[in-house]
């Protein structure tokens, strides 16, 4: 079974394992209301997303929207980030 990070965290929480907070955004513009700094990660069911450019630390809302849009346009090992 292949899980995305957010579903894996949810399963860990259900079994009492502490995991870092996170939130899934479907639209980069939603990030304007986030607290900064934060890390934006591509949700893909394969490893190597950081080396593929799918992880980015941002400090402002403009930077977050720009990076989220860029990450969502990537192809990482044949997968489009969610």
């Amino acid at each position: 079974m292949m899980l995305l990070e957010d579903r894996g965290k949810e399963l860990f929480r259900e079994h009492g394992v502490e995991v870092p907070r996170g939130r899934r955004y479907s639209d980069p513009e939603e990030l304007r209301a986030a607290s900064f700094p934060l890390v934006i990660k591509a949700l893909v069911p394969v490893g190597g997303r950081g080396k593929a450019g799918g992880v980015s630390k941002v400090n402002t809302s403009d930077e977050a929207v720009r990076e989220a849009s860029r990450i969502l346009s990537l192809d990482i090992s044949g997968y489009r980030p969610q």
Side-chain angles (χ1 to χ4, degrees), residues 1-24 39-43 49:
M1 176 186 335
M2 295 175 73
L3 297 175
L4 296 176
E5 180 178 0
D6 60 337
R7 178 65 179 131
K9 284 181 170 184
E10 184 180 313
L11 290 171
F12 281 139
R13 274 189 211 97
E14 289 174 7
H15 290 86
V17 178
E18 290 187 35
V19 294
R21 287 181 304 132
R23 179 166 174 207
R24 185 178 191 161
V39 176
I40 298 173
K41 298 179 181 180
L43 288 176
R49 64 185 171 184

Side-chain angles (χ1 to χ4, degrees), residues 4 42-45 69 71-82:
L4 296 176
L43 288 176
V44 290
S69 297
I71 287 171
L72 286 170
S73 72
L74 295 174
D75 178 300
I76 299 176
S77 299
Y79 292 96
R80 294 287 298 213
Q82 296 184 26

